[in-house]
Amino acid sequence: MDVRFRAVSPDEPQNFLNEARLSALGLAIYLAGRLALVQSAPPDALKLLVLDDVLIGLDQSNRIPVLDLLESHFQGWQIVLLTHDRLWFETARARAGLNGGWNVIELFANGEADAAYRPTVASRESDVIEDYLNRATVHLGNSDWRASAVYARSAFEMWLKIQCALHSIPIQFSLEPRKIDANVYFNAIEKWADSSQAKPAFAGVLKVLALYRDTVFNPGSHSYPTTMSGGEQRAAIAAMRFVNGATKYGTSALQLAAYLIAKPNAVPEELALAAGFLRVAFMRRLRELARQKSLALPFTMEPREIGPTVLWAAMCTAGWPPKRASWVAGINANHIVFLDVWAWPTLLQMTVAQLNSAMQALNRH
């Protein structure tokens, strides 16, 4: 086997590559071997993959791509991923929760001095946000409001981080990322929605969360004595459940819109949010087309203020190629979703039929 690293072929890779590179190389060979072997196995052969802390030598930036690889190349396999690293456990759990399909179990070594010692086994929700909300509900039922608020806030902060990761939303840089508070993520999401000209559609979600941002979701409110009521915490947990459920399925704006549109008995706020995700997807495509065309636009100090109407008019003036005729006609026919200036009351009147029509038009591209 020939190993090459940056145009160098070391005779003894184990003495040349560092631990992280050796771990990655060994894992790549192992996974490739498993895939090769299963091709000659009987159709009903067990496809089982057990990885016991094999990623411990990799940093976080190289661990996440392994999860993506497992999901893309090992569909139909039973995968057991074991680790004693709490940070990696939480990271993998949050990442796996985006796509579902994982069972999460924790083992605790409590009471080892006991002769009849048995580890404690705890099943968790694959959706880390839902798990935090369940724990918050349990503590609330026991009248432990402080513990309940801590878990509710954890769910809020995790949701913010996942949204920033899903939509590649930039946040304010800090030399100490752990000290970046929830307000930084919340404000970044607001700015992202504004730049996509979809902020009115996100108004409902952001408004719901903002109601509790300074109380239940604020760590400064959890110290003794607390003034939060049980009713306020119940409302905050319910609000967080609604927001998580409305933004949970899908890794792109278009997928999230499709999930909300197809959701049985979707409430007006969820359909408004679907319209927002459709506009986010539309603006991304429109900006990419404008970039490809090297479209000239009037200079502005705030490029994010260039809305869909202005950009669409400029593209139409420049001229569309004939192959885009069907797409252009579809966008114009669904102008209320893609081009019109929105107001919250208008968004609450969106129908499933309208949104389905808009999604079909967008997909003609």
Side-chain angles (χ1 to χ4, degrees), residues 31-32 34-35 38 47 49 65-77 79:
L31 295 178
R34 294 304 308 275
L35 288 174
V38 81
K47 296 180 179 179
L49 188 66
V66 174
L67 288 180
D68 295 335
L69 185 149
L70 293 176
E71 290 178 351
S72 61
H73 288 76
F74 288 84
Q75 293 183 5
W77 286 63
I79 302 173

Side-chain angles (χ1 to χ4, degrees), residues 195-197 278-288 306-309 311 338:
S195 68
S196 302
Q197 302 297 316
L278 283 175
R279 183 163 289 193
V280 168
F282 170 65
M283 285 298 291
R284 284 177 178 168
R285 292 188 181 180
L286 189 56
R287 284 171 175 160
E288 177 59 23
I306 299 176
T309 305
L311 196 53
F338 297 122

Side-chain angles (χ1 to χ4, degrees), residues 127-186:
D127 178 358
V128 63
I129 297 172
E130 191 63 29
D131 182 47
Y132 288 160
L133 293 175
N134 287 343
R135 297 194 197 195
T137 302
V138 169
H139 284 291
L140 185 59
N142 294 328
S143 299
D144 190 350
W145 293 351
R146 184 171 293 103
S148 176
V150 169
Y151 274 115
R153 174 174 59 84
S154 298
F156 171 65
E157 292 176 350
M158 181 60 73
W159 180 85
L160 293 175
K161 292 175 181 178
I162 287 175
Q163 296 310 304
C164 288
L166 272 177
H167 302 292
S168 301
I169 300 173
I171 62 170
Q172 177 183 322
F173 174 77
S174 172
L175 288 172
E176 297 183 77
R178 292 184 180 182
K179 293 187 177 180
I180 299 176
D181 65 22
N183 285 326
V184 173
Y185 292 101
F186 191 93

Side-chain angles (χ1 to χ4, degrees), residues 48-257:
L48 176 64
L49 188 66
V50 180
L51 304 176
D52 186 0
D53 259 339
V54 295
L55 307 181
I56 202 69
L58 302 180
D59 57 28
Q60 290 292 88
S61 63
N62 287 314
R63 291 178 180 182
I64 294 296
V66 174
L67 288 180
D68 295 335
L69 185 149
L70 293 176
E71 290 178 351
S72 61
H73 288 76
F74 288 84
Q75 293 183 5
W77 286 63
Q78 182 175 356
I79 302 173
V80 180
L81 190 62
L82 303 168
T83 184
H84 72 278
D85 185 336
R86 167 61 63 175
L87 176 60
W88 170 230
F89 170 78
E90 295 293 353
T91 302
R93 182 183 177 194
R95 177 64 183 79
L98 299 178
N99 296 327
W102 290 82
N103 294 321
V104 180
I105 298 174
E106 287 187 86
L107 297 176
F108 297 96
N110 299 324
E112 293 182 14
D114 188 345
Y117 161 71
R118 292 182 180 180
T120 301
V121 181
S123 295
R124 305 297 189 199
E125 289 274 354
S126 60
D127 178 358
V128 63
I129 297 172
E130 191 63 29
D131 182 47
Y132 288 160
L133 293 175
N134 287 343
R135 297 194 197 195
T137 302
V138 169
H139 284 291
L140 185 59
N142 294 328
S143 299
D144 190 350
W145 293 351
R146 184 171 293 103
S148 176
V150 169
Y151 274 115
R153 174 174 59 84
S154 298
F156 171 65
E157 292 176 350
M158 181 60 73
W159 180 85
L160 293 175
K161 292 175 181 178
I162 287 175
Q163 296 310 304
C164 288
L166 272 177
H167 302 292
S168 301
I169 300 173
I171 62 170
Q172 177 183 322
F173 174 77
S174 172
L175 288 172
E176 297 183 77
R178 292 184 180 182
K179 293 187 177 180
I180 299 176
D181 65 22
N183 285 326
V184 173
Y185 292 101
F186 191 93
N187 294 336
I189 292 173
E190 277 193 312
K191 186 175 180 180
W192 166 77
D194 193 22
S195 68
S196 302
Q197 302 297 316
K199 189 172 183 178
F202 286 82
V205 166
L206 298 176
K207 188 182 296 183
V208 164
L209 295 180
L211 287 173
Y212 307 101
R213 182 166 61 155
D214 295 329
T215 54
V216 179
F217 299 149
N218 177 11
S221 299
H222 303 165
S223 57
Y224 185 83
T226 180
T227 59
M228 288 181 289
S229 67
E232 186 176 21
Q233 291 203 41
R234 284 189 193 88
I237 292 170
M240 192 65 247
R241 272 210 170 92
F242 165 77
V243 171
N244 184 46
T247 55
K248 179 177 175 181
Y249 296 98
T251 55
S252 71
L254 201 56
Q255 288 177 341
L256 287 163

